[in-house]
Amino acid sequence: MTGYVMQRLVLMLVTLLAIITLTFFLMHAVPGGPFVSDKMMAPEIQAAINAKYHLDDPVWLQYLNYLKGIASFDLGPSFKYAGMSVNEIIAEGLPTTLKVGVLALICVVSLGVPLGIVAALNRNRWPDTLVMVVATIGVAVPSYVIATVALYLFALRLGWVPTFGLDDWRGYFLPVFALSGFWISFIARLARSSLLETLQQDYMITAKAKGLKPGQILFKHGLRNSLIPVVTVLGPVVANLITGSFVIEQIFALPGIGRHFVLSITNRDYTAIMGITIFYAAVLMVMIFIVDMLYLVLDPRIKYREAR
Amino acid sequence: MTDSPVAPQMWEPAARVAGAAEQIAAPSLTYWQDVRQRLWRNRTAMAGLVFIILLVIAAIFGPMVSPHTYYDQDLKLANIPPAFQLYEVTDGSGETTRFFFNSGNLNIYEVTDDGRIAGLIRGKKDLIKKQTLFTFGDVEVTLHTPTQTLTRGDGVVLAPGQWQWNMSNVFGTDQLGRDVLARQLYGARISLTVAFVATLVNFFIGVFYGGISGYLGGRIDTLMMRIVEVIATIPLTLYVILIMVVFNSGFFSVIIAIGSVYWVDMARIVRGQILTLKQQDYVAAARTMGASTGRILTRHLLPNSIGPILVALTMLIPSAIFIESFMSFIGLGVTPPEASWGTLTSEAVETLRAYPYQMFFPAAAISLTMFAFNFLGDGLRDALDPRLRT
């Protein structure tokens, strides 16, 4: 078990290193330096700026320095916002993104799973049909369409919620709804089909035959086994909540990391792009790791061996 | 138990007919005939398939027959709705002018008898009285801006007449006066190109990568799957963004990005299939007869895993289309004046207050396409499932 965890951690470090290397050399493959702009700069100033940001060093030295920086959790200075470091940009956007993202994740789990259970227990009756119709719509309609339609209906037409920002608690409704809509539907469908499959297993009949209460059967035998596929997709869910935040934060004008990221791309702020990408990758890997550990706890049948 | 509903004579054995047991009730079907029949009977899947075929035809031939192009601007005819309510004014000489009033930009456009837009009618603006004066022959019509009412010279308030569908721009025009239908069709081309590229990549890289990895096994498999794991850790959107930064944003970058990393999921699925299939006896038989690895892979293993490959493909295509429109929506996809469903939606968001209906067409296009692929994928999965075979 500890061996497996160690192996996973080493693999995570290797993956992270690969991602850092990839983004670093991709960013350095861009033709023209970050300070080549429309304004002509005096060559001395250009040289001074290059020296300040160590851009006159050979690439391998820059790479080593960058790695050294990351090892001490320093993602370097931003090229476009003078005096701002990438760490500060992330720290500024993180609370907003985290609040919306965590709320969305809570919605996904606390709405998606019960909806799936209700649908499975009422198979082929109206609650099932209703959930499946809504879930099919939710899976097919892109999040930005959900967001804009909801924005038009609830903010512009009905005026129930503000059109942008999070100053008001009601401002959370639409971003969280738009961000989690797809995954609530997806999880509901997944939980439904998984529970239906579990309900047909022999051990369910055994449980019923030995006289367990229906609640006990459902929660101890049915749900625990059928939720394993749901837990496995939680890693991808987090990944998609992160990338989904790009568009949601743009539509609702939220000052989160996603918005900073998109801005840094249009501004060609290379260090910020690199830093935020690496930050995202690290968050994702930690999340996937946590999910895999959860998996281990939920399903005792799985025994991770050190070498697969 | 005494009053059983089964009458005693029902327990009599049935009459034996010679050869009845040998009789074949239904014609025996091969697996693929059965799949085709079941898919054919699935109405939602067929609706999805028909929609996709129509979309392909429209995307290929639509721009050729359309009188408009996706980039031609006409600012005088900006933000024209697809349908409008007509007003009519008859002047002293008996000449009738038909026009409609666009409440979003407070303009009046003349309309011909067959519903085409003849042009913008210019009026005299009176900013102090907040009104605009239009003259039709000897009749004057005043537009009172705050209340948006049209009053004829003799004081009669004009009432809107019947609805008329816009015949010159069937879906209306956008804020730069470009034909929305032409732009929609162009967007369909973009989306379908992405779908096509995703298919090619999945077939040529994903299937073979997964196939080779699964078939060879051992250390090569471990190494190949580690590479896949590293690639799969970062969401595709981030790759698209990184590649976009290197190659400048544009449709080309989306294609490159999807082309370079979009085969990972397929590789995993195929590897899983091959891992189970390669234990089969027919593989051992083929190998005994001296078939090469390449031949076993392409002739025996891959054709037998075509079912899961097809199902995965119908799920991967819509998500590729979605990623392109998503990137275009946040402004990192296709560059103007090119139109994708994503950019069309984001343009509609800018004018959401004044022209909410502009949202409808791009949103409907992308959603319907997603539905179509999802339904087709679900139908295909059910049809290919051997457990459901009758």
PDB file of all heavy atoms in Angstrom, chain B residues 202-226:
ATOM      1  N   ASN B 202      -8.276   9.665 -34.526  1.00  0.00           N
ATOM      2  CA  ASN B 202      -8.620   8.537 -33.675  1.00  0.00           C
ATOM      3  C   ASN B 202      -8.399   7.225 -34.396  1.00  0.00           C
ATOM      4  O   ASN B 202      -7.911   6.262 -33.822  1.00  0.00           O
ATOM      5  CB  ASN B 202     -10.073   8.641 -33.224  1.00  0.00           C
ATOM      6  CG  ASN B 202     -10.180   9.522 -32.011  1.00  0.00           C
ATOM      7  OD1 ASN B 202      -9.434   9.347 -31.064  1.00  0.00           O
ATOM      8  ND2 ASN B 202     -11.068  10.479 -32.048  1.00  0.00           N
ATOM      9  N   PHE B 203      -8.728   7.200 -35.702  1.00  0.00           N
ATOM     10  CA  PHE B 203      -8.569   5.969 -36.446  1.00  0.00           C
ATOM     11  C   PHE B 203      -7.112   5.658 -36.701  1.00  0.00           C
ATOM     12  O   PHE B 203      -6.662   4.529 -36.531  1.00  0.00           O
ATOM     13  CB  PHE B 203      -9.317   6.046 -37.780  1.00  0.00           C
ATOM     14  CG  PHE B 203     -10.610   5.297 -37.735  1.00  0.00           C
ATOM     15  CD1 PHE B 203     -11.809   5.920 -37.959  1.00  0.00           C
ATOM     16  CD2 PHE B 203     -10.606   3.941 -37.431  1.00  0.00           C
ATOM     17  CE1 PHE B 203     -12.997   5.226 -37.884  1.00  0.00           C
ATOM     18  CE2 PHE B 203     -11.792   3.235 -37.356  1.00  0.00           C
ATOM     19  CZ  PHE B 203     -12.984   3.888 -37.586  1.00  0.00           C
ATOM     20  N   PHE B 204      -6.355   6.678 -37.107  1.00  0.00           N
ATOM     21  CA  PHE B 204      -5.003   6.366 -37.559  1.00  0.00           C
ATOM     22  C   PHE B 204      -3.986   6.363 -36.436  1.00  0.00           C
ATOM     23  O   PHE B 204      -3.037   5.610 -36.484  1.00  0.00           O
ATOM     24  CB  PHE B 204      -4.583   7.311 -38.686  1.00  0.00           C
ATOM     25  CG  PHE B 204      -5.267   6.941 -39.964  1.00  0.00           C
ATOM     26  CD1 PHE B 204      -6.349   7.660 -40.423  1.00  0.00           C
ATOM     27  CD2 PHE B 204      -4.840   5.831 -40.665  1.00  0.00           C
ATOM     28  CE1 PHE B 204      -6.996   7.293 -41.584  1.00  0.00           C
ATOM     29  CE2 PHE B 204      -5.492   5.461 -41.833  1.00  0.00           C
ATOM     30  CZ  PHE B 204      -6.566   6.186 -42.295  1.00  0.00           C
ATOM     31  N   ILE B 205      -4.163   7.224 -35.440  1.00  0.00           N
ATOM     32  CA  ILE B 205      -3.198   7.188 -34.336  1.00  0.00           C
ATOM     33  C   ILE B 205      -3.769   6.392 -33.168  1.00  0.00           C
ATOM     34  O   ILE B 205      -3.167   5.445 -32.702  1.00  0.00           O
ATOM     35  CB  ILE B 205      -2.802   8.610 -33.885  1.00  0.00           C
ATOM     36  CG1 ILE B 205      -2.289   9.400 -35.091  1.00  0.00           C
ATOM     37  CG2 ILE B 205      -1.717   8.530 -32.825  1.00  0.00           C
ATOM     38  CD1 ILE B 205      -1.876  10.799 -34.776  1.00  0.00           C
ATOM     39  N   GLY B 206      -4.969   6.785 -32.723  1.00  0.00           N
ATOM     40  CA  GLY B 206      -5.524   6.176 -31.519  1.00  0.00           C
ATOM     41  C   GLY B 206      -5.642   4.675 -31.630  1.00  0.00           C
ATOM     42  O   GLY B 206      -5.162   3.935 -30.759  1.00  0.00           O
ATOM     43  N   VAL B 207      -6.239   4.204 -32.714  1.00  0.00           N
ATOM     44  CA  VAL B 207      -6.489   2.772 -32.852  1.00  0.00           C
ATOM     45  C   VAL B 207      -5.171   2.011 -32.937  1.00  0.00           C
ATOM     46  O   VAL B 207      -4.969   0.992 -32.262  1.00  0.00           O
ATOM     47  CB  VAL B 207      -7.375   2.510 -34.083  1.00  0.00           C
ATOM     48  CG1 VAL B 207      -7.392   1.036 -34.422  1.00  0.00           C
ATOM     49  CG2 VAL B 207      -8.779   3.014 -33.846  1.00  0.00           C
ATOM     50  N   PHE B 208      -4.218   2.529 -33.723  1.00  0.00           N
ATOM     51  CA  PHE B 208      -2.974   1.779 -33.895  1.00  0.00           C
ATOM     52  C   PHE B 208      -2.081   1.873 -32.665  1.00  0.00           C
ATOM     53  O   PHE B 208      -1.448   0.901 -32.285  1.00  0.00           O
ATOM     54  CB  PHE B 208      -2.263   2.228 -35.169  1.00  0.00           C
ATOM     55  CG  PHE B 208      -2.885   1.596 -36.365  1.00  0.00           C
ATOM     56  CD1 PHE B 208      -3.854   2.263 -37.096  1.00  0.00           C
ATOM     57  CD2 PHE B 208      -2.571   0.296 -36.716  1.00  0.00           C
ATOM     58  CE1 PHE B 208      -4.467   1.661 -38.167  1.00  0.00           C
ATOM     59  CE2 PHE B 208      -3.188  -0.318 -37.789  1.00  0.00           C
ATOM     60  CZ  PHE B 208      -4.140   0.363 -38.524  1.00  0.00           C
ATOM     61  N   TYR B 209      -2.066   3.043 -32.049  1.00  0.00           N
ATOM     62  CA  TYR B 209      -1.272   3.192 -30.833  1.00  0.00           C
ATOM     63  C   TYR B 209      -1.769   2.211 -29.773  1.00  0.00           C
ATOM     64  O   TYR B 209      -1.002   1.447 -29.196  1.00  0.00           O
ATOM     65  CB  TYR B 209      -1.375   4.628 -30.329  1.00  0.00           C
ATOM     66  CG  TYR B 209      -0.394   4.996 -29.252  1.00  0.00           C
ATOM     67  CD1 TYR B 209       0.792   5.626 -29.569  1.00  0.00           C
ATOM     68  CD2 TYR B 209      -0.676   4.733 -27.911  1.00  0.00           C
ATOM     69  CE1 TYR B 209       1.684   5.975 -28.584  1.00  0.00           C
ATOM     70  CE2 TYR B 209       0.215   5.083 -26.922  1.00  0.00           C
ATOM     71  CZ  TYR B 209       1.398   5.706 -27.267  1.00  0.00           C
ATOM     72  OH  TYR B 209       2.278   6.050 -26.290  1.00  0.00           O
ATOM     73  N   GLY B 210      -3.085   2.242 -29.547  1.00  0.00           N
ATOM     74  CA  GLY B 210      -3.671   1.345 -28.554  1.00  0.00           C
ATOM     75  C   GLY B 210      -3.480  -0.104 -28.954  1.00  0.00           C
ATOM     76  O   GLY B 210      -3.179  -0.960 -28.121  1.00  0.00           O
ATOM     77  N   GLY B 211      -3.643  -0.386 -30.248  1.00  0.00           N
ATOM     78  CA  GLY B 211      -3.521  -1.748 -30.740  1.00  0.00           C
ATOM     79  C   GLY B 211      -2.119  -2.289 -30.528  1.00  0.00           C
ATOM     80  O   GLY B 211      -1.929  -3.386 -29.989  1.00  0.00           O
ATOM     81  N   ILE B 212      -1.124  -1.499 -30.915  1.00  0.00           N
ATOM     82  CA  ILE B 212       0.262  -1.944 -30.777  1.00  0.00           C
ATOM     83  C   ILE B 212       0.604  -2.120 -29.302  1.00  0.00           C
ATOM     84  O   ILE B 212       1.189  -3.131 -28.891  1.00  0.00           O
ATOM     85  CB  ILE B 212       1.207  -0.928 -31.459  1.00  0.00           C
ATOM     86  CG1 ILE B 212       0.997  -0.981 -32.970  1.00  0.00           C
ATOM     87  CG2 ILE B 212       2.651  -1.203 -31.112  1.00  0.00           C
ATOM     88  CD1 ILE B 212       1.626   0.148 -33.716  1.00  0.00           C
ATOM     89  N   SER B 213       0.196  -1.125 -28.506  1.00  0.00           N
ATOM     90  CA  SER B 213       0.507  -1.186 -27.081  1.00  0.00           C
ATOM     91  C   SER B 213      -0.108  -2.427 -26.444  1.00  0.00           C
ATOM     92  O   SER B 213       0.559  -3.156 -25.706  1.00  0.00           O
ATOM     93  CB  SER B 213      -0.007   0.082 -26.404  1.00  0.00           C
ATOM     94  OG  SER B 213       0.142  -0.008 -25.030  1.00  0.00           O
ATOM     95  N   GLY B 214      -1.369  -2.679 -26.757  1.00  0.00           N
ATOM     96  CA  GLY B 214      -2.045  -3.817 -26.151  1.00  0.00           C
ATOM     97  C   GLY B 214      -1.486  -5.132 -26.654  1.00  0.00           C
ATOM     98  O   GLY B 214      -1.326  -6.089 -25.902  1.00  0.00           O
ATOM     99  N   TYR B 215      -1.151  -5.195 -27.952  1.00  0.00           N
ATOM    100  CA  TYR B 215      -0.721  -6.461 -28.527  1.00  0.00           C
ATOM    101  C   TYR B 215       0.683  -6.840 -28.088  1.00  0.00           C
ATOM    102  O   TYR B 215       0.944  -7.979 -27.740  1.00  0.00           O
ATOM    103  CB  TYR B 215      -0.804  -6.396 -30.048  1.00  0.00           C
ATOM    104  CG  TYR B 215      -0.517  -7.724 -30.690  1.00  0.00           C
ATOM    105  CD1 TYR B 215      -1.430  -8.767 -30.550  1.00  0.00           C
ATOM    106  CD2 TYR B 215       0.649  -7.950 -31.395  1.00  0.00           C
ATOM    107  CE1 TYR B 215      -1.184  -9.996 -31.093  1.00  0.00           C
ATOM    108  CE2 TYR B 215       0.907  -9.182 -31.943  1.00  0.00           C
ATOM    109  CZ  TYR B 215      -0.006 -10.214 -31.799  1.00  0.00           C
ATOM    110  OH  TYR B 215       0.240 -11.434 -32.330  1.00  0.00           O
ATOM    111  N   LEU B 216       1.572  -5.837 -28.097  1.00  0.00           N
ATOM    112  CA  LEU B 216       2.960  -6.157 -27.747  1.00  0.00           C
ATOM    113  C   LEU B 216       3.106  -6.413 -26.254  1.00  0.00           C
ATOM    114  O   LEU B 216       3.841  -7.307 -25.859  1.00  0.00           O
ATOM    115  CB  LEU B 216       3.890  -5.026 -28.185  1.00  0.00           C
ATOM    116  CG  LEU B 216       3.981  -4.838 -29.694  1.00  0.00           C
ATOM    117  CD1 LEU B 216       4.940  -3.727 -30.041  1.00  0.00           C
ATOM    118  CD2 LEU B 216       4.426  -6.138 -30.377  1.00  0.00           C
ATOM    119  N   GLY B 217       2.400  -5.612 -25.436  1.00  0.00           N
ATOM    120  CA  GLY B 217       2.437  -5.833 -23.996  1.00  0.00           C
ATOM    121  C   GLY B 217       3.816  -5.586 -23.413  1.00  0.00           C
ATOM    122  O   GLY B 217       4.701  -5.002 -24.066  1.00  0.00           O
ATOM    123  N   GLY B 218       3.979  -6.011 -22.173  1.00  0.00           N
ATOM    124  CA  GLY B 218       5.292  -5.938 -21.538  1.00  0.00           C
ATOM    125  C   GLY B 218       5.775  -4.515 -21.342  1.00  0.00           C
ATOM    126  O   GLY B 218       5.002  -3.611 -21.056  1.00  0.00           O
ATOM    127  N   ARG B 219       7.093  -4.347 -21.536  1.00  0.00           N
ATOM    128  CA  ARG B 219       7.696  -3.064 -21.231  1.00  0.00           C
ATOM    129  C   ARG B 219       7.265  -1.969 -22.208  1.00  0.00           C
ATOM    130  O   ARG B 219       7.084  -0.821 -21.830  1.00  0.00           O
ATOM    131  CB  ARG B 219       9.209  -3.223 -21.242  1.00  0.00           C
ATOM    132  CG  ARG B 219       9.816  -2.526 -20.041  1.00  0.00           C
ATOM    133  CD  ARG B 219      11.280  -2.745 -19.983  1.00  0.00           C
ATOM    134  NE  ARG B 219      11.637  -3.689 -18.947  1.00  0.00           N
ATOM    135  CZ  ARG B 219      12.820  -4.282 -18.883  1.00  0.00           C
ATOM    136  NH1 ARG B 219      13.719  -4.052 -19.804  1.00  0.00           N
ATOM    137  NH2 ARG B 219      13.087  -5.115 -17.900  1.00  0.00           N
ATOM    138  N   ILE B 220       7.109  -2.359 -23.478  1.00  0.00           N
ATOM    139  CA  ILE B 220       6.691  -1.375 -24.479  1.00  0.00           C
ATOM    140  C   ILE B 220       5.310  -0.832 -24.112  1.00  0.00           C
ATOM    141  O   ILE B 220       5.054   0.373 -24.168  1.00  0.00           O
ATOM    142  CB  ILE B 220       6.672  -2.013 -25.880  1.00  0.00           C
ATOM    143  CG1 ILE B 220       8.064  -2.515 -26.231  1.00  0.00           C
ATOM    144  CG2 ILE B 220       6.177  -1.031 -26.921  1.00  0.00           C
ATOM    145  CD1 ILE B 220       8.117  -3.341 -27.483  1.00  0.00           C
ATOM    146  N   ASP B 221       4.437  -1.758 -23.714  1.00  0.00           N
ATOM    147  CA  ASP B 221       3.082  -1.370 -23.310  1.00  0.00           C
ATOM    148  C   ASP B 221       3.143  -0.392 -22.139  1.00  0.00           C
ATOM    149  O   ASP B 221       2.499   0.653 -22.160  1.00  0.00           O
ATOM    150  CB  ASP B 221       2.310  -2.636 -22.924  1.00  0.00           C
ATOM    151  CG  ASP B 221       0.911  -2.325 -22.458  1.00  0.00           C
ATOM    152  OD1 ASP B 221       0.304  -1.422 -23.043  1.00  0.00           O
ATOM    153  OD2 ASP B 221       0.439  -2.982 -21.516  1.00  0.00           O
ATOM    154  N   THR B 222       3.953  -0.731 -21.118  1.00  0.00           N
ATOM    155  CA  THR B 222       4.052   0.149 -19.954  1.00  0.00           C
ATOM    156  C   THR B 222       4.509   1.539 -20.371  1.00  0.00           C
ATOM    157  O   THR B 222       3.907   2.549 -19.975  1.00  0.00           O
ATOM    158  CB  THR B 222       5.065  -0.438 -18.941  1.00  0.00           C
ATOM    159  OG1 THR B 222       4.798  -1.830 -18.831  1.00  0.00           O
ATOM    160  CG2 THR B 222       4.932   0.221 -17.601  1.00  0.00           C
ATOM    161  N   LEU B 223       5.557   1.568 -21.199  1.00  0.00           N
ATOM    162  CA  LEU B 223       6.087   2.867 -21.628  1.00  0.00           C
ATOM    163  C   LEU B 223       5.043   3.650 -22.406  1.00  0.00           C
ATOM    164  O   LEU B 223       4.786   4.833 -22.143  1.00  0.00           O
ATOM    165  CB  LEU B 223       7.338   2.642 -22.486  1.00  0.00           C
ATOM    166  CG  LEU B 223       7.974   3.930 -23.001  1.00  0.00           C
ATOM    167  CD1 LEU B 223       8.635   4.665 -21.847  1.00  0.00           C
ATOM    168  CD2 LEU B 223       8.992   3.640 -24.093  1.00  0.00           C
ATOM    169  N   MET B 224       4.389   2.980 -23.376  1.00  0.00           N
ATOM    170  CA  MET B 224       3.409   3.676 -24.213  1.00  0.00           C
ATOM    171  C   MET B 224       2.247   4.200 -23.373  1.00  0.00           C
ATOM    172  O   MET B 224       1.743   5.289 -23.597  1.00  0.00           O
ATOM    173  CB  MET B 224       2.905   2.736 -25.313  1.00  0.00           C
ATOM    174  CG  MET B 224       3.903   2.554 -26.434  1.00  0.00           C
ATOM    175  SD  MET B 224       3.368   1.309 -27.602  1.00  0.00           S
ATOM    176  CE  MET B 224       2.595   2.291 -28.858  1.00  0.00           C
ATOM    177  N   MET B 225       1.853   3.393 -22.376  1.00  0.00           N
ATOM    178  CA  MET B 225       0.722   3.827 -21.559  1.00  0.00           C
ATOM    179  C   MET B 225       1.130   4.937 -20.591  1.00  0.00           C
ATOM    180  O   MET B 225       0.315   5.786 -20.242  1.00  0.00           O
ATOM    181  CB  MET B 225       0.145   2.637 -20.791  1.00  0.00           C
ATOM    182  CG  MET B 225      -0.753   1.790 -21.654  1.00  0.00           C
ATOM    183  SD  MET B 225      -2.144   2.746 -22.320  1.00  0.00           S
ATOM    184  CE  MET B 225      -1.930   2.530 -24.068  1.00  0.00           C
ATOM    185  N   ARG B 226       2.393   4.962 -20.173  1.00  0.00           N
ATOM    186  CA  ARG B 226       2.858   6.074 -19.338  1.00  0.00           C
ATOM    187  C   ARG B 226       2.761   7.376 -20.127  1.00  0.00           C
ATOM    188  O   ARG B 226       2.335   8.408 -19.598  1.00  0.00           O
ATOM    189  CB  ARG B 226       4.313   5.851 -18.897  1.00  0.00           C
ATOM    190  CG  ARG B 226       4.458   4.840 -17.796  1.00  0.00           C
ATOM    191  CD  ARG B 226       4.064   5.415 -16.440  1.00  0.00           C
ATOM    192  NE  ARG B 226       4.107   4.371 -15.411  1.00  0.00           N
ATOM    193  CZ  ARG B 226       3.084   3.583 -15.119  1.00  0.00           C
ATOM    194  NH1 ARG B 226       1.934   3.719 -15.763  1.00  0.00           N
ATOM    195  NH2 ARG B 226       3.197   2.666 -14.191  1.00  0.00           N
TER     196      ARG B 226
END
